[in-house]
Each structure stands twice: as C-alpha cells, then as structure tokens.
Amino acid sequence: MPSNAPRDVELVIEARWILPMSDGLPTLEDHAIAIDAGRLLGPWPIGEVAQYVRPARTLRLTHHALLPGLINAHNHAGMSLMRGFADDLPLMTWLNEHIWPAEAAHVNPEFVAAGTRLACAEMLTSGTTTFADMYLAPEAVVPVVEEAGMRAQLCTPLIDFPTPWSKDFESGVRQTEALTACLGDHSLISLAFGPHAPYTVGDASLGRLREARNQLGLPIQMHVHETRDEVEQGLARDGKRPLRRLFDSGLLGPHFQAVHMTQVDDEDLALLRETDTAVIHCPQSNLKLASGFCPVARLQKAGITVGLGTDGAASNNDLDMFDEMKTAALLAKGVSGDAAALPAMAALAMATRDSARALGMQKRRGQLREGFDADLIAVDLEALNSVPIHHPASAAVYAVQSHQVSHVWVAGRARLEAGELVGLDHKALLHEARQYERAMRTV
C-alpha cells in the first residue's frame, strides 16, 4: 500500500494490455497508466489505480494495447512531396539524375515546410511521436514540428558542395551554430549534425565537424556503408573503409548514429562495438534501392544499439513504422537464416527504447515508466486481421495495420483521438500536396 494519499492527475488510461518496453520486456494485462503534467505515472493493475491517483478523467480501452510512441530514427520528412517521384532505380542514379536535380529546381523553405507537415500527419496517424529528420532548411521545420506537437531531432544538412540550404560545409556548420543558439533548450526539438555521407564529405570537413561537435556537444547522424559501391570506392580512394576513416577522424562514439550499415565486416563490427556507435536500420528503403542488408541479428548479438527508421518517403515510400517493424523482423530472419532472429518483442524494442537509445533520448523516452515523458500510443487490436490475440506483441508486429492506431499522446497532449488528428487539417494537407504534385510535373 502506498504511504501517501492518492495524487490528483489529469488522465488515467486503462488498457487490455500494456507493453511498456521496460526491463525484461513484460506484457501487462488489464493495467492502467496515468498522465500528469506531461509525464507518466505507473503502470499499475487496474484494480489498484485508486490507491495511487485520482484522475480528472479516465479513458477505458478494453481491446487496445498501449505502447511507447514509436521513434522513427531516420527520416527526410520534407521529401514526402517526392513520394513516388523516382522509383525503381539504384541509389546513385536515383540521387544524381532525379532527386538532386528536383531539389535544385523546387526545394525552398516553403517546400520543406509543406513536405514536413504532410510527413508529421502521416507519422502521427501511424503511431510515431518522435522522428530524426535529416533534410534541408531545418529552420523551416521548427514551426511545423511545434504545430504538429511532435518531437524531432533535426539533423542539419552538411555537405561539401552547394545545396539550397548552404553554399559549402563551413557555412552549414555556422548555420547549425546559429540554429542551436536560437532553439536553446527546446521542449520538443533537439539538433544534431547531419553530414550526408563519407563520399560527400572530405577529410578537412570531417576535421571541422569534430571541432564543431566538441564545441556544441551535438550528436552526429550520417549515412554510412549504405551500399557495397560506397565501401569499395572508399577503399580505392582512401585506402580504408569509410567507417575506419570516420574512426580515424575521431567521430565515432556513443553520440554517432550510423544510418544503414548494410556492409559490415569483422573490423567494422569491432569499431562499432568498441566505440559504442549506434546503427539506424532502414530495411524498406535498403530493399527498394537494392542497397544491401543490415546484419541486425549479428549487430545486436555484439551488443550494438540498433534503432529503426523509415528513411524518406521518396525511397520507402511511406513513413509507417508498423510496416517497417514487420519488414525488419522478417528480413533479419532471412538474412541470418535463423527464424528466431529479431522476434516480435525485439522489433518493438527497436522501434521504441532502442531508437531512443540510438538518439540519446533513453532517459526520458522509449518506455512507459514512471517519470518518463508521456509519449504513448493506443492500438486497437480487435480487427479481423489481428484477432485472436494469443500474444499482443506478435499481433502488433506481424498483424496490425497502422490505421489501427487509435490514440496518440505527445508530452501528455492528445495528437490523435479515435483515429482523428488533433490540430492538423487533413483536407488542407491533401490539397497542399496535390498543388506540389502539379508543380513538380515540369521536372
């Protein structure tokens, strides 16, 4: 019995199941959790709630599972307006002949803001509460994220040649410094450096990046070992694999987020493990671009943190983390030849607490625990495609479709209620996307 009187709280949510993604990865049946002042209290068995809290409101979800909000650890949100623009192409053809020319012709802050609005709505309706975004004009993304009420890690685009955001690497670093000062300690948004890839960032720029990281203390997210060609060209140019080059530049470590990593040899594995560098897995994008297969089971066995991301809608073509979890779980089994590789609960962990750890957010997000941020989702499991429910984690990963997400809270604020967006105009978003579709037909 608690020693103190029950505490007044804003909301108690009672659910058939809670998958808190806490130590031991338990499944809790007929439990409840409370939200107050943007934080979580509990969870407790439903019958014990009155001993701990007095809610102003109680929400009873009798055939739902509560989960931490999903964390999309790698995205290019503004590229949602390029969904389906250049499909069925290898990576470098896709970039050089289609994406980069389209960006030069069309991308400006208004384009990025519109694409991000669309992306935020798609992510919220499919259960994502936090995303890492690596795209142009991050300052234009800030008000969009605030309006959506989501959380974001904005990775500022750094590259050695001119882009619509910066004329060169150094100017990108300076703009990152300015944006850091402008944001301060923002409640929803954090910053990271987003150097594009080892093949677009020279040695001098890597040295400058190390200096800026030491000065600002920001994490780094970078595409690394996305394809075999990238690794082979790095060996031919530098006499070393790109990951080794990043290590020699003093960049790897617990605040480095290596996106893709489809090519991993024994030396790479040792570098990742020894430096505690995180990997972000983007299975559907890698499959669609025929980039290769991240050896997730091998990485996890070595103790390496592996988060999950969708990549951008231009190469996926959706931002659905439920779909991504299922693909990740199935692909891990096929790549490893082990049907027990990446079981359902581990895939859920990858999309929640492991992604939080990869982004350095593990102390407050990615789990439903007392004192953590109230970022959580409810998923209605009573659907033809997901019953019977023998194991709710299995249902969530292998059977659920993202439209079964019924409720989303971020910092305790409802962003999706009974499947309807709160504060975002669905019809206006569709209209805006169609306007850009017509404009881009000229490319």
Side-chain angles (χ1 to χ4, degrees):
M1 286 285 292
S3 58
N4 299 323
R7 171 179 170 178
D8 290 329
V9 297
E10 298 164 11
L11 175 66
V12 162
I13 308 165
E14 298 178 355
R16 177 67 180 84
W17 299 278
I18 296 181
L19 302 175
M21 311 318 296
S22 53
D23 294 345
L25 298 175
T27 297
L28 307 178
E29 296 192 41
D30 298 319
H31 271 59
I33 199 162
I35 295 174
D36 193 64
R39 296 294 185 93
L40 295 172
L41 290 87
W44 317 276
I46 289 174
E48 298 178 9
V49 170
Q51 301 176 30
Y52 299 92
V53 293
R54 286 191 304 263
R57 185 166 72 95
T58 297
L59 177 64
R60 294 181 173 89
L61 302 173
T62 56
H63 39 80
H64 294 63
L66 288 183
L67 301 166
L70 305 181
I71 298 175
N72 186 341
H74 180 67
N75 194 357
H76 307 282
M79 295 182 79
S80 291
L81 295 178
M82 298 183 188
R83 191 193 319 268
F85 180 76
D87 286 339
D88 308 319
L89 297 166
L91 175 63
M92 297 316 296
T93 302
W94 178 79
L95 277 174
N96 289 315
E97 298 181 20
H98 298 274
I99 297 302
W100 284 340
E103 288 178 339
H106 293 285
V107 172
N108 54 34
E110 292 74 24
F111 180 103
V112 174
T116 305
R117 271 192 293 275
L118 180 64
C120 286
E122 180 185 357
M123 286 188 282
L124 284 170
T125 57
S126 54
T128 292
T129 56
T130 297
F131 66 104
D133 188 37
M134 182 192 286
Y135 203 51
L136 304 166
E139 68 282 350
V141 173
V142 171
V144 175
V145 173
E146 291 173 333
E147 180 187 10
M150 296 184 72
R151 299 190 195 275
Q153 173 190 269
L154 303 184
C155 308
T156 57
L158 304 177
I159 199 166
D160 278 352
F161 53 79
T163 72
W165 191 62
S166 63
K167 65 179 182 180
D168 55 24
F169 195 93
E170 177 60 31
S171 66
V173 171
R174 290 198 299 270
Q175 287 177 258
T176 304
E177 293 171 343
L179 189 55
T180 301
C182 179
L183 280 177
D185 188 18
H186 199 288
S187 62
L188 296 174
I189 298 169
S190 61
L191 289 183
F193 293 109
H196 174 257
Y199 58 88
T200 55
V201 178
D203 288 344
S205 294
L206 292 180
R208 179 69 179 98
L209 177 61
R210 184 181 64 250
E211 293 174 359
R213 178 206 61 191
N214 293 343
Q215 175 191 353
L216 297 180
L218 300 181
I220 299 169
Q221 184 170 116
M222 189 180 203
H223 305 105
V224 183
H225 289 202
E226 186 169 359
T227 65
R228 179 177 287 108
D229 284 348
E230 174 195 333
V231 175
E232 291 176 350
Q233 291 171 15
L235 279 166
R237 182 182 61 248
D238 306 309
K240 62 183 76 172
R241 291 167 72 85
L243 191 72
R244 166 59 69 173
R245 177 167 163 252
L246 294 172
F247 174 81
D248 291 344
S249 298
L251 293 174
L252 298 187
H255 303 297
F256 192 97
Q257 305 156 17
V259 181
H260 299 304
M261 289 304 299
T262 71
Q263 313 297 313
V264 180
D265 68 7
D266 290 344
E267 181 188 11
D268 299 329
L269 191 73
L271 289 175
L272 292 169
R273 183 178 60 244
E274 291 166 10
T275 59
D276 197 21
T277 293
V279 170
I280 310 298
H281 181 34
C282 302
Q284 290 192 348
S285 175
N286 292 156
L287 286 168
K288 184 165 178 278
L289 294 168
S291 298
F293 312 113
C294 178
V296 171
R298 187 176 176 218
L299 293 171
Q300 290 183 330
K301 187 177 180 180
I304 294 161
T305 297
V306 184
L308 188 67
T310 60
D311 212 344
S315 63
N316 186 307
N317 291 30
D318 60 53
L319 307 179
D320 184 341
M321 285 287 284
F322 279 94
D323 202 24
E324 207 73 30
M325 279 191 286
K326 181 174 182 178
T327 300
L330 298 181
L331 187 61
K333 300 174 192 308
V335 168
S336 66
D338 178 6
L342 199 64
M345 191 67 86
L348 280 170
M350 182 185 288
T352 53
R353 73 177 196 181
D354 294 347
S355 281
R357 186 177 296 115
L359 300 184
M361 301 175 178
Q362 69 272 23
K363 293 183 179 179
R364 294 184 59 174
R365 291 168 208 145
Q367 300 180 56
L368 301 184
R369 292 177 55 181
E370 182 110 8
F372 271 48
D373 290 333
D375 299 355
L376 66 163
I377 65 174
V379 184
D380 186 349
L381 297 187
E382 192 166 89
L384 293 175
N385 55 280
S386 53
V387 296
I389 312 300
H390 296 296
H391 303 286
S394 174
V397 171
Y398 296 126
V400 158
Q401 297 170 7
S402 60
H403 64 78
Q404 291 171 247
V405 176
S406 61
H407 296 74
V408 174
W409 296 266
V410 181
R413 296 177 59 211
R415 311 314 304 155
L416 189 77
E417 288 189 320
E420 297 294 326
L421 285 165
V422 177
L424 294 176
D425 188 329
H426 184 106
K427 291 182 179 179
L429 290 167
L430 293 176
H431 176 72
E432 186 173 48
R434 290 181 182 127
Q435 286 184 308
Y436 278 99
E437 174 194 330
R438 289 191 289 270
M440 290 184 69
R441 287 175 185 165
T442 61
V443 175

